[in-house]
Amino acid sequence: MFRRRFAGVVAAGAAVAALLTACGGGDGATDGPVTLKVLTWEPGGTEYWQQVKTTFEASHPDIKLEMQSVPFDKYPEVQGPYITSQSGPDVMANNAGLELFDRRGAYVPLGEKAAQINKDLVTYSGACEGFDTAKPCYGVPFSYQGNVLYFNKDVLRNAGLDPEQPPATWAEFGAACDAVTKSGKTCLALGLSGTFPAYWDFPEIARNYLSEDDIRGLLAGTLSWTDPKLVAVLEKLAEITTSGWTNKNAPSITMLPDGADIFQRGDAAFAGTIISDAVNWEAFGKALGDDKLGVTRWPVINADAPLAKKFSGIEGAVYGVTQWSDKKDAGLEFITWLAGKENGELWVKYAKGQPLNKNVDPSLLPSSPAFRTIQELVADPTLHAGVMLSGPEADALARGWQQVTLGQLTVDKWATQMQQALERSPTKKQGK
């Protein structure tokens, strides 16, 4: 759409060309198709990305996609050297929020093109600095992401609990965990190694203590980790593991795949994960049976908290064009297609995920009971606190939770370590 042969199709084409030329991004003349190198961890699974490649190339014969897929937990190790050397992929993925902002120097700002893309998307502006579309945006999302609490109805029933009435409050959750543990099962499947605690668990506790202004304070680095609100969040995270509600090996395993596998095997009552991508309702439904899988919000701790009953929503992976690419026109064309209706429908059909594109045919949406419940939960969203954390903070959150669980660290010292991690964050030090 945005290469020279499409110049007359879209009115914004001249502005896009000017943007890319300013960045040194013309594709130049070639004797054959442009090969576009894409770095991804394949959110949604291999089958979905095979469909992306086949479908996009069929309608864009002048562009070939060369996909480099890296496991999510290894992704920073692979991406980092590319950014340092300013070479490699033409398009790369990062999670929305500070993970992307920390690496924004690697991407071409989209300029006015961002507004044209976003008009058809449900968006939290997680691809834009400060979650503000008036500021530079560095890529294109296409999936709707956030956290829910999945539960196994059979495990609850066998523990003497009502599987149609999952715990709605923290006290009810504690009582349910005690009953599940007595029945011989794990209450909450959990893995504390890596960044998943920051993205999947922290936001669901934080909603009970933080306002939206507080969450934006996390983003700006102006809310201290020694603030009583954040200390209370850390205390509740610690309670999850020190109360014996989780698998004993939680400190030494990752949530994906290890923690998720515990739940999929039927060995745990609950698992806190995400609505799209690798470990969503569809994977759990296949493993347990759709009739045995339930989904709900995380239990409320403070009923009066304004965000306690809201959904922590955010875009999924954001795909941007790299600063060093000499194929920026083709890269922009590809990421714009990713945000479109055609890919949104591939995302629903093959990844069973939540699309951001508002024009996706609703008749294609799954009929799973869990999926339908998720549609009700996502209707009342708030900012996702997890993506407000810098890399140093996300690492310190997981490491500190491991140490607290093992009795090696107090919550107060954990808060101090978190503050030190905040002060090491280059993005937040610059006030971005």
Side-chain angles (χ1 to χ4, degrees):
M1 187 183 299
F2 302 103
R3 302 183 74 203
R4 282 184 293 279
R5 69 185 179 87
F6 294 104
V9 179
V10 179
V16 173
L19 167 69
L20 295 174
T21 300
C23 297
D27 289 351
T30 62
D31 294 331
V34 170
T35 297
L36 200 66
K37 297 181 179 180
V38 180
L39 181 67
T40 177
W41 59 82
E42 289 194 340
T46 299
E47 183 183 12
Y48 161 70
W49 282 98
Q50 288 172 342
Q51 292 295 327
V52 166
K53 177 176 169 60
T54 300
T55 306
F56 177 79
E57 290 180 348
S59 59
H60 300 77
D62 55 341
I63 303 175
K64 297 297 180 186
L65 300 180
E66 182 181 305
M67 315 298 292
Q68 181 183 1
S69 177
V70 179
F72 180 79
D73 60 341
K74 302 296 183 184
Y75 192 81
E77 298 174 21
V78 175
Q79 186 189 41
Y82 286 139
I83 296 175
T84 300
S85 65
Q86 293 286 288
S87 64
D90 303 292
V91 171
M92 300 191 302
N94 275 112
N95 280 315
L98 262 173
E99 180 182 302
L100 175 65
F101 306 157
D102 278 348
R103 297 161 176 79
R104 65 191 181 281
Y107 295 101
V108 178
L110 296 183
E112 294 179 0
K113 183 60 190 168
Q116 183 180 342
I117 295 170
N118 286 336
K119 67 181 176 60
D120 289 326
L121 302 181
V122 177
T123 178
Y124 296 94
S125 307
C128 308
E129 283 187 28
F131 285 72
D132 183 350
T133 54
K135 295 182 179 180
C137 304
Y138 295 95
V140 172
F142 56 85
S143 66
Y144 194 18
Q145 193 56 280
N147 312 93
V148 292
L149 191 66
Y150 295 97
F151 59 93
N152 184 323
K153 294 183 179 182
D154 277 357
V155 173
L156 293 185
R157 185 180 294 109
N158 292 337
L161 302 169
D162 183 352
E164 303 307 323
Q165 296 291 328
T169 69
W170 197 253
E172 290 173 358
F173 184 69
C177 281
D178 290 343
V180 169
T181 300
K182 288 179 182 177
S183 75
K185 297 284 188 177
T186 294
C187 183
L188 178 69
L190 186 66
L192 297 181
S193 178
T195 58
F196 292 112
Y199 292 136
W200 294 358
D201 304 302
F202 168 73
E204 304 316 299
I205 304 301
R207 285 189 292 105
N208 290 271
Y209 296 96
L210 305 183
S211 66
E212 287 206 356
D213 284 344
D214 291 329
I215 294 175
R216 288 191 177 276
L218 275 177
L219 175 65
T222 57
L223 182 64
S224 170
W225 280 95
T226 58
D227 184 290
K229 295 177 183 178
L230 283 178
V231 173
V233 173
L234 297 181
E235 286 174 344
K236 283 300 179 186
L237 286 172
E239 185 176 337
I240 291 173
T241 49
T242 58
S243 296
W245 297 344
T246 66
N247 39 293
K248 292 181 180 179
N249 64 344
S252 61
I253 65 171
T254 62
M255 187 61 198
L256 182 65
D258 303 324
D261 284 347
I262 294 172
F263 183 72
Q264 289 187 131
R265 292 196 305 266
D267 291 336
F270 300 96
T273 72
I274 47 181
I275 63 172
S276 287
D277 300 357
V279 283
N280 63 356
W281 61 271
E282 198 251 353
F284 291 148
K286 280 184 177 179
L288 302 176
D290 285 337
D291 59 326
K292 297 178 181 178
L293 178 67
V295 62
T296 186
R297 289 188 187 90
W298 278 63
V300 170
I301 300 171
N302 295 320
D304 296 331
L307 306 182
K309 296 182 180 180
K310 291 184 177 289
F311 172 73
S312 297
I314 188 63
E315 297 96 339
V318 176
Y319 286 77
V321 180
T322 58
Q323 288 279 8
W324 56 80
S325 174
D326 60 357
K327 303 163 187 173
K328 292 185 176 66
D329 290 345
L332 183 59
E333 189 166 349
F334 174 59
I335 66 172
T336 302
W337 179 87
L338 284 176
K341 176 177 182 288
E342 185 174 38
N343 184 50
E345 293 181 349
L346 291 179
W347 181 249
V348 171
K349 183 176 181 180
Y350 293 99
K352 307 299 182 185
Q354 316 284 319
L356 285 177
N357 191 287
K358 294 179 285 189
N359 300 316
V360 167
D361 183 352
S363 70
L364 298 177
L365 297 177
S367 59
S368 156
F371 184 91
R372 290 199 300 268
T373 300
I374 288 170
Q375 304 316 295
E376 298 171 5
L377 298 179
V378 302
D380 191 14
T382 188
L383 292 170
H384 190 290
V387 302
M388 306 295 176
L389 303 185
S390 62
E393 288 170 291
D395 291 341
L397 188 77
R399 186 175 64 254
W401 199 356
Q402 291 170 316
Q403 292 174 309
V404 168
T405 302
L406 295 170
Q408 300 170 350
L409 193 71
T410 65
V411 170
D412 286 343
K413 289 185 178 179
W414 187 12
T416 299
Q417 289 184 359
M418 292 300 302
Q419 181 62 23
Q420 292 169 346
L422 165 61
E423 293 167 2
R424 291 195 305 272
S425 170
T427 304
K428 293 190 177 183
K429 276 196 247 183
Q430 294 168 13
K432 298 296 184 182

